[in-house]
């Protein structure tokens, strides 16, 4: 679990670069569940996070097949972004 978290953090760092710590936390969770490759397909969400547009990112992440599969997890991540 520790190793997977470290891998997720490295993946989020690579995809998001420097961003708000709460946004990075949300990114780490995304990479943890989807893998770096999986989360990398969330281009608009990543772009919004990098631009500091957290409201937009929180909406964008919900517009996904992932959200239809695990709505509670995605809503939790979306809320983290919304509250920044």
């Amino acid at each position: 679990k520790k190793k997977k978290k470290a891998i997720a953090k490295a993946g989020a760092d690579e995809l998001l670069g420097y961003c708000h710590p709460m946004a990075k936390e949300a990114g780490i969770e995304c990479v943890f569940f989807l893998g770096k490759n999986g989360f990398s397909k969330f281009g608009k969400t990543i772009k919004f996070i990098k631009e500091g547009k957290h409201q937009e990112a929180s909406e964008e992440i919900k517009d996904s097949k992932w959200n239809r599969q695990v709505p509670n997890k995605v809503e939790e991540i979306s809320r983290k972004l919304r509250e920044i």
Side-chain angles (χ1 to χ4, degrees), residues 4-16 28 31 36:
K4 191 162 179 181
K5 188 80 172 170
I7 292 168
K9 184 185 181 321
D13 285 344
E14 218 173 294
L15 292 170
L16 299 173
I28 291 169
V31 175
K36 188 179 111 189

Side-chain angles (χ1 to χ4, degrees), residues 2 4 11 23-26 32 42 51 53 55-56 58 63 69 73 76 78 80 83:
K2 263 250 193 313
K4 191 162 179 181
K24 181 63 66 87
E25 224 11 80
F32 187 86
F42 284 69
E51 292 172 353
K53 296 178 178 173
Q55 293 299 318
E56 290 90 334
S58 92
D63 183 21
Q69 294 165 337
K73 175 46 67 187
E76 189 184 305
S78 173
K80 274 187 182 166
E83 289 174 355

Side-chain angles (χ1 to χ4, degrees), residues 58-81:
S58 92
E59 287 307 309
E60 187 60 39
I61 200 162
K62 291 194 287 187
D63 183 21
S64 65
K65 190 169 128 191
W66 187 38
N67 188 33
R68 291 189 288 282
Q69 294 165 337
V70 285
N72 293 349
K73 175 46 67 187
V74 176
E75 178 52 44
E76 189 184 305
I77 293 169
S78 173
R79 189 174 50 248
K80 274 187 182 166
L81 291 166

